[in-house]
Amino acid sequence: MRRVTWRNLLARKVRLLLSAFAIVLGVAFVAGSFVFTDTIERSFEGIVSGSVPDVTVRPVGLTQDSMEGSVNLEARTMPASLVDELAGAPGVARADGSIDGVGLFVVRADGRLLGGTGAPTLSFNYNDAPNTLGEPAVTISEGREPRAAGEIALDERSAQAADYSIGDTVRMVTAGEQPEVEAELVGIAEFAGGGLAGATLVLFETGAAQDVFLGGADAFTSVSVAGEPGVSETELADAVGPLLPEGVEAATGQEVADEIEGVVGEVLGFLNAFLLVFGAIALVVGTFLIVNTFSILVAQRSRELALLRALGASRRQVTRSVLTEAFAVGLVGATLGLLLGFGLAASLRLLFASFGLDLSGTSLVFKPRTAVAAYLVGLVVTMVAAYLPARRAARIAPVAAMRDDVALPDSSVRRRTLLAVALVVVGALLLVWGLVIGGDVPLKVGAGIFCILIAISLASPVLAVPVLSGTGLLYRRVFGTVGTLATQNARRNPRRTAATASALMIGLALVSTMSVIGASVNKSIDAAVEKDFTSDYLVSNAVGIPFSPAIAERLAALDDVDTVAPVQALTVSVGDDRLMLSATDVEAFSEIFDLEYVEGGAPSDGEVALTEDTADQLGVGVGQSIDLTFPSGDVPATVVGVYEFSNVAGSALAPLSTVAEGQLQRTDSSVAVNAAEGADTDQVGRALEAATAQTPTVTVQNQSDFAEAQRAQVDQLLLLIYALLGLAIVIAVLGIVNTLALSVMERTREVGLLRAVGLSRRQLRRMVRLEAIAIAVLGAVLGIAAGVAFGVLLQRSFVDDGITDLAIPWPRLVTFVVVAAVVGVLAAVLPARRAARLDVLRAITTE
């Protein structure tokens, strides 16, 4: 039996390799995801080990966990005198004051912004303070360190990317009181942890850093403390603890490292899950290809398997023979997929580098877990997919196998239909559980959609009948006898046709779902902008980077500008709930935007207004007091108004005085501008653009510009998802190619008879192409119908989250059907050519 199995593998290696290709692509996604995220993790481990000192003295509450997802910029500092006090503590080797600047960006020599969408800019005052390894966290590899105001040092990658050399004047923009800063580049800095993952490192002289980031105050944002030899981090923290003023704490290097790694781990976990989802989709689609391939091969070898049984082979041996072939396919697929995974990880590294996350300084990381996962996934998926065909092979009776009867029994259709109904019920319950009850929504919704898709696949032999009947009617009218033959071939084995179409159906269902969601989001954006965007212009940053409040002051001084309302987005907590609060000049804001208050009115100092949903969520009403929790502590505020949700105000609205009370740095997230009555708005727009020309972190947009920018972001995300789902479509196309090729082999005698009675080679090729088109269109129709249903359901479920308007992109969906038909034509090229080249006499005598 082993020799027979090996012979079968070699005889059908091309067909089996096509099946293995599906495993290759799915495993590549799994392996590539692990390799890529492990590489990011290694890069950040280097950054952490290279930057963290033995002990960090910092404001209380300023942990990485508290800052996760926050848009707040801290304003709390420590007096410079504290550094000398800490340096004299027992066990302290040295103490260095640090200024951690936030909101600074380097402007390239050509005037464009360096970074801004990926890794951040790290701005510090220069010192040679050691990290936990005893090495200086930063060294100067070329030139010298900055020694006076007007001098800076940059890391080598950033200097090259911005096209600056030592001696050049570097222009920068900040979120502080000085919107633009210029300085001479005097040195190239090198980070002890290796690469900076695309981040930009900017080093100032201490006094200059205090001027830029602290308004000239003689203070520091944190203090790095290094211990003497033999002094542990815990002992060092305990030694400096009694010297710390109220509101300041000492954190060990390990504590800080654990905080950073925890935040990075959560981000990497999301990224890994995001990529693995598409790998899982590819594997599910690949499973249909493998099941189909082995089912057809078992059917074609029914006589051979029957002879083996007649010669003494047991059912177990026959099953084992088929599963051994599957094991070989899985092993080859997993091996090639693992190798391709490295290529995918390298491609992802290049892709993310274009977004600012540069990992070129870190080699791709391969962990044993990656190999185990790759082979486990590849082998398990293949063996499970081949199990049913293997069992079917073992049940072949020697006499029954001599008959050419492989039609699907009606009882099997009934069982599949009943199972499909059960899965639809389970899927519907999961969708209701996730969308209505809530809690772990992505997992429940994903599982519900998966159950319904499998149910559609199981019921597809029944669902395929009306679709194939429709294509058959069209074929008969347009192509005559050839069309009739193609339709009969597609309907001959409905389970095989449906299984082949199901692979394409799953991919197009997900693509169609995202198309409906994307179109609905874009329509909702247009409706929201038309309703809420009542200012003439909005000055903002596309990715939420804060900018200097001096910009608003500059715009207010322009001629023909009537009202300017700066808005600073803040992240606050109220109990266990986290809110996005808009701090603004309430009077100016109310002149530009018309919030619809259902109770109370606009807030003033010490007050806050909430949306209806937020007030219900917190269980508070007008007149009640709540505590707005910032890292620095609680700020009490009285609820004086409840308003209908508006995209311009967020969950809560408060005056700008809240920023100072929360001890945060004053910045702006956006500035709404209205032109004076009777002024030329186009001319005002040009004046605004001229006033912000030296600040590339901001853009000036009117209503249509803003809506277009928001839609562009949605479209970019859709393109990324389409590209990832395209993998499943590729596998589905391979399934059509494989099924047609095996079907042609199975019908060799029939093809010979058709040629003998006068069917030309051209007609034969057309027949195979039409059969492929029918399968592809079947998959497209089922997939698009399911996708539209899922998209409508998801849109209606997220009305309260901003997707208020339903839009079904019918032209795009029709395009999908046309593309599917074209895909069918392309998939049929090789099988049709092979069928046309068959020798008529040999085909007729084939058994």
Side-chain angles (χ1 to χ4, degrees), residues 474-823:
L474 178 64
Y475 282 179
R476 283 193 295 273
R477 290 184 177 180
V478 177
F479 301 104
T481 303
V482 173
T484 301
L485 290 172
T487 303
Q488 291 175 347
N489 288 334
R491 297 183 62 176
R492 175 181 301 178
N493 192 326
R495 181 167 58 182
R496 180 187 305 171
T497 300
T500 306
S502 293
L504 186 60
M505 178 269 293
I506 291 176
L508 282 178
L510 297 175
V511 169
S512 301
T513 300
M514 295 310 303
S515 295
V516 173
I517 293 296
S520 299
V521 169
N522 282 336
K523 186 176 180 181
S524 301
I525 287 172
D526 290 339
V529 169
E530 184 177 355
K531 174 179 178 291
D532 296 331
F533 197 118
T534 54
S535 63
D536 292 329
Y537 290 97
L538 187 72
V539 179
S540 63
N541 181 278
V543 293
I545 297 172
F547 52 91
S548 172
I551 299 294
E553 297 173 5
R554 185 185 300 168
L555 300 180
L558 294 175
D559 295 335
D560 293 333
V561 168
D562 181 35
T563 309
V564 172
V567 177
Q568 179 171 356
L570 302 176
T571 306
V572 301
S573 295
V574 179
D576 295 330
D577 296 295
R578 179 169 279 196
L579 310 177
M580 289 300 297
L581 181 146
S582 296
T584 184
D585 180 338
V586 177
E587 183 178 353
F589 186 88
S590 299
E591 289 183 21
I592 296 177
F593 300 109
D594 185 20
L595 291 184
E596 297 184 19
Y597 285 91
V598 297
E599 187 178 1
S604 56
D605 292 347
E607 298 173 343
V608 66
L610 306 173
T611 64
E612 289 182 281
D613 290 342
T614 303
D616 291 340
Q617 179 181 345
L618 299 178
V620 298
V622 171
Q624 293 182 268
S625 180
I626 60 175
D627 288 330
L628 305 176
T629 303
F630 297 90
S632 59
D634 292 340
V635 175
T638 302
V639 179
V640 297
V642 176
Y643 57 90
E644 293 183 2
F645 174 80
S646 172
N647 289 282
V648 299
S651 302
L653 186 71
L656 288 171
S657 57
T658 308
V659 178
E661 293 172 354
Q663 300 185 53
L664 301 176
Q665 182 179 336
R666 176 71 182 90
T667 61
D668 282 335
S669 306
S670 64
V671 178
V673 180
N674 265 4
E677 187 175 353
D680 185 338
T681 55
D682 291 338
Q683 184 176 343
V684 171
R686 289 190 292 270
L688 296 177
E689 291 176 351
T692 58
Q694 298 301 310
T695 312
T697 51
V698 301
T699 56
V700 178
Q701 297 172 320
N702 57 22
Q703 188 183 81
S704 60
D705 293 335
F706 182 79
E708 184 179 351
Q710 301 304 306
R711 290 195 301 269
Q713 294 181 37
V714 175
D715 292 340
Q716 285 181 351
L717 180 60
L718 280 178
L719 286 175
L720 174 62
I721 294 176
Y722 287 163
L724 293 173
L725 288 176
L727 182 65
I729 305 297
V730 170
I731 295 175
V733 173
L734 289 176
I736 296 175
V737 173
N738 218 19
T739 300
L740 287 175
L742 291 171
S743 181
V744 167
M745 292 172 61
E746 184 180 52
R747 304 199 306 258
T748 299
R749 180 188 296 177
E750 175 188 321
V751 169
L753 289 173
L754 288 172
R755 293 277 287 113
V757 296
L759 193 70
S760 68
R761 289 184 175 182
R762 183 178 180 180
Q763 289 176 313
L764 182 58
R765 287 195 295 267
R766 179 178 297 166
M767 181 188 73
V768 176
R769 283 198 298 270
L770 291 176
E771 183 180 351
I773 292 173
I775 294 173
V777 169
L778 171 62
V781 170
L782 293 179
I784 290 172
V788 169
F790 292 146
V792 172
L793 175 64
L794 291 174
Q795 183 274 324
R796 300 312 303 167
S797 301
F798 290 110
V799 167
D800 292 337
D801 295 309
I803 310 179
T804 56
D805 292 61
L806 174 66
I808 300 177
W810 293 114
R812 183 178 300 176
L813 299 180
V814 171
T815 301
F816 290 160
V817 176
V818 174
V819 170
V822 173
V823 164

Side-chain angles (χ1 to χ4, degrees), residues 74-77 98-99 177 209-221:
E74 276 288 325
R76 288 181 291 168
T77 60
S98 178
I99 300 166
E177 297 178 0
Q210 291 171 334
D211 289 338
V212 172
F213 300 110
L214 305 181
D218 188 17
F220 296 100
T221 57

